[in-house]
Amino acid sequence: MSTVLLSKAEKSYITAGLKQNPPQRADGRHLTDFRLISLETGIADLANGSSRISIGRNVNDNGGGTEIFAATKLEVESISVAETSEGREGGRLAINVSCSPAAYPHLTQITLEDYQHDLTAILHATLSHSSLHPNNLSIIPGKKSWLLHLDLLILSDAGNIHDALFLAARAALWDTKVPKTRSVEYKAPKSNITGSGANEASDMDVDTAATSGFSTRTHLTHATDFELPDYWDEGEVLNGRDRWPVCVTLNLVPPIHFLDATPQEEAAVPRRLLLMFSFPPSSSSHEPTLQAMRTLGTGELSLAQIKDLIQIGQKHALDLYTALNVKLKDEDVRRTLKAQERFASARR
Amino acid sequence: MALSNFDRRRVNGPEDSFAPVYAPQNDQNERDPFQRRKRGPLDVRPIFLQPGLITQANGSAYIETEHTKIACAVYGPRQSKNVSYSESGHLNVEVKFAPFSCRRRRAPLRDAEDRTIAIAVHQAIVSSVRLELLPKSTIDVFVTVIEADGIEGVIASASIAVSTALADAGIEIFGLVVSCSASLIGGGIWLDPSEDEVSCSEGTIIVSCIPALGTVTSVWQGGQIPPKSVVDAMEKCQSRCTDIHKIVAQALRGYSSHNPT
């Protein structure tokens, strides 16, 4: 969905520039250069995890660029056998993309909804696949689990929306903290069952803390409910958060391809290949895996070309993944430092 | 809402009702999970393809691969209405599921998944149609899924049916588009997986191509597959597509020799 309309002459001017040797792009970038990406996590206080990303924002006036907010919110969901209830053992993910009408002023409401739906479909299919499912979303086995909502809001679109969405999603999921829970079960106190002394006790309003029927020990056989232990820290991170994929969009002008297209370039180049790669943690010996691949737009490709593009895409994705990981760890450190300073100043 | 027209004098059914849960009937996974039943890993389900079943449409096709049954009608090219001038034609694909097409009833008018499939079919087909020859016009393609056995199978079969119907309608295309799906199960590649096979697979891929030109029009992959296996699966799909192409060509030739126009 291009955000700009271009004449034929403009389109051919852009593609001719790209095909030149050396290639020419309007902003002077190399074919495989990204624009400046800025990322911040923990921007929404009420969310369990959040991030804000902008690609290609103007450094001087902070204007322009693709801008996306992403936030996760956890909800408790009951699991039941009924097929109508969507709760599932081990929790589930629900992902939604919404576009601000301000980002697409020329689209009608109906086309905007279709576009949102298309973006939602691609993110949901990729991120909620069982191979990426975090295994700490369960609360009480067979009864309750967490439903993880990931909502992405596109505030403005200056090209390369798929890459930006996946970066934002990865950052928000990385940042997500699942609250710690403790199972609770109720047992009838033995003293209440027999003996007149116990009856007297129940008639009177006595503090029964010592013989409370509640048990919150870790290994419960018949957990009926759960409680949140009263801790300051927000919980534990999602399991396997290294695995969340990154997306690279290869814009294709055979024989060349380029990354991070601007809206003008997107309008001029109809063919795109989306590759979502997941990189397992460096310690394990597993290979990187493709989590999704989509072709977009018109035009044709041969199988040999796709084979090459997958290899090249993997290289670009690894670069992007490494850069993003460094930034995310940086953000973690920055935010812990901030918290420590706040506590230190409060103590003084 | 329920109380307002609640009739105490009748026997009222329960508030909720659920689809029955069937016991698994000697499932293939119990004996040997990586051994396919009934067919080899690279076999596709037999295809029945019949062009021209819907007489009022400009072109139509009906495809049946075991439990996947899809009817497709093509109307047009006809004048685009209420749209500003466009230099090239517009291909409009709409997919509808019959309420009885899946294991659970699909409520009509809820088209979240329908649009996803329509997008996939559109992507597979649009590169083959010579839309630049049809300014100011629209080609409407209506796909009705009568019975579905796995989304992957539906997308692949629907793409074949749409391409056949376009050829039947006499619309200029570069070549017939055929597509084939594959799934990765236990490290092996199974072509044309059924719904049950997809549910226990690690990942799936749908490849649409024009065998006459040797080009790929669409690749649609999901799940978790190592890049090497993706390439391997695409090659297997493409070689199987050549066989499917023969079936489509034969169906069209058989139909046109019976119905000379």
Side-chain angles (χ1 to χ4, degrees):
Chain A
M1 184 91 28
S2 62
T3 47
V4 287
L5 288 172
L6 288 188
S7 69
K8 276 182 179 175
E10 285 169 302
K11 283 181 188 172
S12 85
Y13 179 75
I14 290 171
T15 45
L18 289 165
K19 281 182 180 170
Q20 240 176 31
N21 190 24
Q24 301 273 331
R25 289 174 83 171
D27 43 12
R29 277 184 292 152
H30 188 254
L31 290 180
T32 54
D33 281 351
F34 262 84
R35 287 169 287 179
L36 204 65
I37 303 175
S38 64
L39 176 83
E40 197 181 348
T41 58
I43 46 105
D45 286 338
L46 296 177
N48 295 82
S50 56
S51 71
R52 173 195 182 164
I53 191 169
S54 78
I55 296 185
R57 189 163 53 183
N58 192 329
V59 193
N60 299 322
D61 59 357
N62 276 343
T66 301
E67 185 120 9
I68 293 170
F69 280 113
T72 58
K73 198 91 172 135
L74 287 158
E75 225 172 69
V76 178
E77 204 177 31
S78 307
I79 304 167
S80 75
V81 281
E83 271 192 68
T84 41
S85 93
E86 302 216 58
R88 238 184 288 151
E89 185 75 58
R92 66 189 179 102
L93 266 70
I95 292 148
N96 189 51
V97 180
S98 41
C99 305
S100 154
Y104 301 93
H106 61 294
L107 293 186
T108 61
Q109 194 60 39
I110 299 163
T111 34
L112 193 64
E113 265 165 30
D114 282 349
Y115 187 51
Q116 272 172 201
H117 175 266
D118 294 348
L119 292 173
T120 302
I122 199 164
L123 263 96
H124 188 79
T126 311
L127 296 178
S128 69
H129 191 265
S130 55
S131 59
L132 293 172
H133 193 78
N135 57 9
N136 56 344
L137 288 180
S138 186
I139 302 174
I140 304 172
K143 290 215 175 93
K144 296 260 180 339
S145 64
W146 291 113
L147 161 61
L148 178 73
H149 279 288
L150 169 61
D151 291 291
L152 298 119
L153 176 65
I154 300 172
L155 287 182
S156 69
D157 178 1
N160 206 13
I161 199 74
H162 290 97
D163 291 11
L165 280 172
F166 273 90
L167 284 176
R170 188 179 148 83
L173 289 165
W174 176 279
D175 189 43
T176 299
K177 302 266 186 346
V178 184
K180 279 185 189 148
T181 56
R182 195 157 63 182
S183 300
V184 170
E185 106 178 304
Y186 185 76
K187 272 188 200 147
K190 280 179 191 140
S191 56
N192 275 356
I193 300 167
T194 50
S196 56
N199 281 335
E200 277 170 33
S202 64
D203 289 333
M204 286 186 294
D205 199 11
V206 178
D207 186 4
T208 55
T211 56
S212 164
F214 283 106
S215 169
T216 55
R217 275 160 298 169
T218 43
H219 295 292
L220 298 178
T221 42
H222 306 288
T224 48
D225 208 346
F226 69 95
E227 61 176 12
L228 297 170
D230 204 12
Y231 281 139
W232 278 103
D233 61 354
E234 303 92 334
E236 50 190 9
V237 296
L238 285 175
N239 239 321
R241 61 175 185 170
D242 287 304
R243 292 197 309 253
W244 299 113
V246 289
C247 169
V248 279
T249 308
L250 299 174
N251 303 277
L252 307 172
V253 197
I256 62 141
H257 67 274
F258 62 99
L259 299 179
D260 195 20
T262 60
Q264 285 77 18
E265 286 167 337
E266 273 180 358
V269 177
R271 193 72 163 151
R272 260 176 281 288
L273 183 68
L274 303 185
L275 296 165
M276 287 67 145
F277 277 98
S278 165
F279 296 93
S282 50
S283 55
S284 68
S285 58
H286 292 289
E287 281 179 62
T289 49
L290 254 179
Q291 294 296 137
M293 169 163 58
R294 297 282 161 94
T295 48
L296 295 180
T298 58
E300 47 203 31
L301 282 170
S302 71
L303 204 58
Q305 275 173 312
I306 296 179
K307 220 186 290 182
D308 292 342
L309 289 171
I310 292 176
Q311 277 184 0
I312 296 164
Q314 185 177 335
K315 207 164 76 338
H316 293 315
L318 185 61
D319 290 344
L320 192 61
Y321 172 84
T322 327
L324 178 63
N325 255 18
V326 169
K327 177 67 187 165
L328 286 173
K329 294 212 169 105
D330 216 39
E331 279 291 296
D332 284 352
V333 172
R334 179 184 68 85
R335 289 175 55 205
T336 17
L337 278 182
K338 205 160 80 180
Q340 279 169 358
E341 276 166 22
R342 205 171 50 222
F343 278 121
S345 63
R347 211 180 295 153
R348 243 182 272 129
Chain B
M1 183 200 88
L3 285 175
S4 62
N5 46 14
F6 187 81
D7 188 353
R8 290 172 174 281
R9 289 165 295 186
R10 306 274 181 277
V11 178
N12 291 291
E15 270 182 17
D16 298 326
S17 66
F18 309 117
V21 180
Y22 296 104
Q25 36 182 323
N26 63 345
D27 200 25
Q28 56 183 9
N29 304 337
E30 286 172 22
R31 286 182 293 144
D32 186 356
F34 305 135
Q35 184 70 44
R36 206 175 195 181
R37 289 173 82 204
K38 288 184 193 165
R39 54 185 163 133
L42 296 184
D43 293 344
V44 296
R45 289 168 282 188
I47 296 172
F48 171 79
L49 181 64
Q50 175 73 54
L53 275 181
I54 302 165
T55 45
Q56 73 209 31
N58 293 76
S60 64
Y62 172 77
I63 191 165
E64 189 172 321
T65 61
E66 273 186 9
H67 292 295
T68 306
K69 301 185 178 87
I70 295 169
C72 163
V74 171
Y75 292 87
R78 54 190 181 185
Q79 185 193 343
S80 304
K81 299 226 171 71
N82 308 325
V83 186
S84 59
Y85 172 79
S86 79
E87 196 174 51
S88 70
H90 184 70
L91 182 70
N92 176 32
V93 180
E94 273 174 41
V95 175
K96 278 275 172 240
F97 276 83
F100 48 82
S101 61
C102 299
R103 280 177 199 169
R104 283 197 63 200
R105 178 174 180 266
R106 287 182 80 106
L109 290 176
R110 208 187 298 150
D111 55 348
E113 194 162 35
D114 304 0
R115 180 166 161 85
T116 314
I117 293 169
I119 291 283
V121 173
H122 181 269
Q123 176 65 40
I125 296 298
V126 72
S127 305
S128 76
V129 186
R130 301 201 61 191
L131 290 171
E132 70 275 14
L133 299 180
L134 306 163
K136 302 190 278 182
S137 8
T138 304
I139 302 168
D140 285 309
V141 177
F142 299 109
V143 176
T144 310
V145 182
I146 299 162
E147 199 176 329
D149 188 8
I151 294 307
E152 286 73 17
V154 167
I155 293 176
S157 306
S159 307
I160 298 170
V162 170
S163 192
T164 314
L166 284 171
D168 180 38
I171 291 164
E172 276 199 58
I173 51 178
F174 287 114
L176 289 167
V177 174
V178 291
S179 59
C180 184
S181 56
S183 62
L184 189 79
I185 299 181
I189 290 161
W190 291 6
L191 292 189
D192 194 19
S194 66
E195 193 169 0
D196 296 330
E197 287 166 353
V198 167
S199 64
C200 58
S201 74
E202 287 119 67
T204 55
I205 184 165
I206 307 162
V207 177
S208 308
C209 53
I210 308 178
L213 300 176
T215 55
V216 177
T217 57
S218 166
V219 184
W220 187 279
Q221 184 244 322
Q224 188 167 41
I225 315 184
K228 267 188 204 130
S229 308
V230 169
V231 173
D232 191 22
M234 284 200 300
E235 275 165 359
K236 282 175 174 150
C237 281
Q238 202 184 28
S239 69
R240 187 60 68 209
C241 278
T242 319
D243 303 337
I244 301 172
H245 184 251
K246 279 183 199 140
I247 297 173
V248 179
Q250 204 171 13
L252 279 169
R253 205 181 300 130
Y255 174 70
S256 58
S257 63
H258 281 102
N259 303 279
T261 43

